[in-house]
Amino acid sequence: MSMAYEEYMRALITPMREELTANGFTELRTPAEVEAYMEKAEGTTLVVVNSVCGCAAGLARPAIVEAIRTAEKKPDHLVTVFAGQDKEATTKMREYFTGIEPSSPSVALLQGKEVAHFIPRSDIEGHEVEEIIENLHAAFDQYCA
Protein backbone atom coordinates (compact mmCIF):
# COMPACT_ATOMS: atom_id res chain seq x y z
CA MET A 1 0.00 0.00 0.00
CA SER A 2 1.12 3.51 -0.64
CA MET A 3 2.44 5.73 2.10
CA ALA A 4 -0.32 8.26 1.32
CA TYR A 5 -2.97 5.60 1.93
CA GLU A 6 -1.39 4.57 5.22
CA GLU A 7 -1.26 8.19 6.39
CA TYR A 8 -4.87 8.78 5.35
CA MET A 9 -6.08 5.69 7.22
CA ARG A 10 -4.11 6.61 10.34
CA ALA A 11 -5.64 10.09 10.35
CA LEU A 12 -9.12 8.72 9.68
CA ILE A 13 -9.16 6.12 12.43
CA THR A 14 -7.32 8.05 15.17
CA PRO A 15 -10.57 9.54 16.60
CA MET A 16 -12.20 6.09 16.40
CA ARG A 17 -9.39 4.62 18.48
CA GLU A 18 -9.41 7.54 20.91
CA GLU A 19 -13.13 7.28 21.57
CA LEU A 20 -12.36 4.09 23.49
CA THR A 21 -8.83 4.76 24.78
CA ALA A 22 -9.92 8.13 26.19
CA ASN A 23 -12.55 6.22 28.16
CA GLY A 24 -10.26 3.73 29.86
CA PHE A 25 -9.69 1.06 27.19
CA THR A 26 -6.26 -0.38 26.57
CA GLU A 27 -5.60 -0.94 22.90
CA LEU A 28 -3.99 -4.25 21.93
CA ARG A 29 -2.38 -3.68 18.53
CA THR A 30 -0.27 -6.79 17.98
CA PRO A 31 -0.74 -10.53 18.46
CA ALA A 32 1.99 -10.43 21.11
CA GLU A 33 0.08 -7.77 23.08
CA VAL A 34 -3.10 -9.87 22.89
CA GLU A 35 -1.26 -13.02 24.04
CA ALA A 36 0.49 -11.17 26.88
CA TYR A 37 -2.83 -9.76 28.08
CA MET A 38 -4.73 -13.03 27.78
CA GLU A 39 -2.04 -15.05 29.54
CA LYS A 40 -2.65 -13.04 32.71
CA ALA A 41 -6.38 -12.34 32.22
CA GLU A 42 -8.24 -12.53 35.52
CA GLY A 43 -11.61 -11.27 36.62
CA THR A 44 -13.84 -9.79 33.95
CA THR A 45 -12.65 -8.11 30.76
CA LEU A 46 -14.75 -6.21 28.27
CA VAL A 47 -13.22 -6.69 24.80
CA VAL A 48 -14.39 -4.38 22.03
CA VAL A 49 -13.66 -5.37 18.46
CA ASN A 50 -13.66 -1.85 17.05
CA SER A 51 -14.47 -1.00 13.44
CA VAL A 52 -14.69 1.94 11.03
CA CYS A 53 -18.29 1.21 10.05
CA GLY A 54 -21.22 3.47 10.81
CA CYS A 55 -22.76 1.12 13.35
CA ALA A 56 -19.51 1.24 15.34
CA ALA A 57 -19.45 5.03 15.25
CA GLY A 58 -23.13 5.72 15.77
CA LEU A 59 -24.12 2.82 17.98
CA ALA A 60 -21.43 0.55 19.41
CA ARG A 61 -18.82 2.98 20.74
CA PRO A 62 -21.33 5.50 22.19
CA ALA A 63 -23.32 2.69 23.82
CA ILE A 64 -20.23 1.01 25.26
CA VAL A 65 -18.87 4.25 26.71
CA GLU A 66 -22.25 5.17 28.22
CA ALA A 67 -22.84 1.64 29.56
CA ILE A 68 -19.54 1.70 31.42
CA ARG A 69 -20.11 5.23 32.68
CA THR A 70 -23.56 4.41 34.08
CA ALA A 71 -23.16 0.79 35.20
CA GLU A 72 -23.41 -0.16 38.85
CA LYS A 73 -21.24 -3.23 38.26
CA LYS A 74 -18.33 -2.84 35.85
CA PRO A 75 -15.77 -5.12 34.21
CA ASP A 76 -12.39 -5.26 35.90
CA HIS A 77 -10.56 -4.56 32.63
CA LEU A 78 -11.31 -2.82 29.32
CA VAL A 79 -9.42 -3.73 26.14
CA THR A 80 -9.92 -3.22 22.43
CA VAL A 81 -8.64 -4.50 19.10
CA PHE A 82 -9.34 -2.79 15.77
CA ALA A 83 -10.71 -5.00 13.00
CA GLY A 84 -9.41 -4.14 9.56
CA GLN A 85 -6.60 -2.04 11.00
CA ASP A 86 -4.72 -4.24 13.46
CA LYS A 87 -5.69 -7.41 11.61
CA GLU A 88 -3.26 -9.81 13.26
CA ALA A 89 -4.17 -8.62 16.78
CA THR A 90 -7.87 -8.97 15.96
CA THR A 91 -7.34 -12.47 14.57
CA LYS A 92 -5.43 -13.46 17.70
CA MET A 93 -8.15 -12.10 20.01
CA ARG A 94 -10.84 -13.90 18.03
CA GLU A 95 -9.03 -17.19 18.72
CA TYR A 96 -10.22 -16.79 22.32
CA PHE A 97 -13.85 -16.43 21.16
CA THR A 98 -14.26 -20.19 20.70
CA GLY A 99 -17.19 -21.16 18.50
CA ILE A 100 -18.17 -17.56 17.74
CA GLU A 101 -18.18 -16.29 14.16
CA PRO A 102 -16.00 -13.21 13.51
CA SER A 103 -18.07 -10.04 13.75
CA SER A 104 -17.17 -6.38 13.80
CA PRO A 105 -17.98 -4.38 15.60
CA SER A 106 -18.62 -6.74 18.47
CA VAL A 107 -18.24 -6.91 22.22
CA ALA A 108 -17.17 -9.83 24.38
CA LEU A 109 -17.36 -9.98 28.15
CA LEU A 110 -14.78 -12.45 29.37
CA GLN A 111 -14.48 -14.20 32.70
CA GLY A 112 -10.81 -15.00 32.81
CA LYS A 113 -10.13 -16.24 29.28
CA GLU A 114 -13.66 -17.53 28.59
CA VAL A 115 -16.44 -15.64 26.80
CA ALA A 116 -19.35 -15.17 29.22
CA HIS A 117 -21.41 -12.85 27.00
CA PHE A 118 -21.05 -11.82 23.36
CA ILE A 119 -22.71 -9.06 21.35
CA PRO A 120 -22.25 -9.54 17.60
CA ARG A 121 -22.78 -6.90 14.95
CA SER A 122 -26.31 -8.25 14.39
CA ASP A 123 -27.20 -7.16 17.96
CA ILE A 124 -25.72 -3.70 17.31
CA GLU A 125 -26.67 -2.71 13.76
CA GLY A 126 -30.33 -1.73 13.53
CA HIS A 127 -30.70 -1.46 17.31
CA GLU A 128 -31.03 1.63 19.48
CA VAL A 129 -28.14 2.81 21.64
CA GLU A 130 -30.35 2.27 24.70
CA GLU A 131 -30.92 -1.39 23.76
CA ILE A 132 -27.18 -1.98 23.52
CA ILE A 133 -26.63 -0.25 26.86
CA GLU A 134 -29.32 -2.47 28.44
CA ASN A 135 -27.68 -5.56 26.93
CA LEU A 136 -24.32 -4.55 28.40
CA HIS A 137 -25.77 -3.63 31.80
CA ALA A 138 -27.53 -7.01 32.03
CA ALA A 139 -24.24 -8.78 31.26
CA PHE A 140 -22.34 -6.63 33.78
CA ASP A 141 -24.96 -7.31 36.44
CA GLN A 142 -24.71 -11.05 35.82
CA TYR A 143 -20.94 -11.46 35.48
CA CYS A 144 -19.17 -8.50 37.14
CA ALA A 145 -18.52 -8.02 40.84
Side-chain angles (χ1 to χ4, degrees):
M1 286 186 228
S2 74
M3 194 63 114
Y5 175 79
E6 294 294 328
E7 288 296 320
Y8 172 77
M9 288 307 294
R10 246 190 312 280
L12 179 71
I13 64 170
T14 295
M16 297 174 195
R17 291 181 185 277
E18 290 174 351
E19 191 168 359
L20 293 176
T21 59
N23 285 285
F25 282 81
T26 299
E27 198 168 37
L28 306 175
R29 298 194 62 184
T30 67
E33 289 175 352
V34 171
E35 283 183 15
Y37 178 81
M38 291 303 291
E39 284 302 312
K40 62 178 180 51
E42 293 182 353
T44 54
T45 301
L46 190 68
V47 180
V48 175
V49 179
N50 201 353
S51 175
V52 298
C53 69
C55 64
L59 298 169
R61 289 191 302 267
I64 292 161
V65 168
E66 184 65 12
I68 291 167
R69 189 184 71 75
T70 59
E72 290 182 28
K73 295 181 178 181
K74 301 176 194 249
D76 300 314
H77 311 281
L78 307 171
V79 300
T80 182
V81 293
F82 207 119
Q85 302 305 309
D86 300 325
K87 294 175 186 174
E88 295 84 7
T90 302
T91 298
K92 178 53 76 178
M93 182 57 80
R94 285 177 171 153
E95 290 176 11
Y96 294 94
F97 302 167
T98 306
I100 298 172
E101 290 292 318
S103 178
S104 58
S106 61
V107 184
L109 182 62
L110 308 179
Q111 284 188 308
K113 297 175 183 68
E114 302 296 320
V115 176
H117 186 76
F118 190 78
I119 303 173
R121 179 187 180 112
S122 61
D123 288 345
I124 296 169
E125 189 174 38
H127 293 265
E128 298 294 323
V129 169
E130 294 77 16
E131 291 176 86
I132 302 164
I133 292 169
E134 288 172 15
N135 188 335
L136 288 164
H137 280 175
F140 297 167
D141 288 345
Q142 184 173 355
Y143 298 107
C144 299

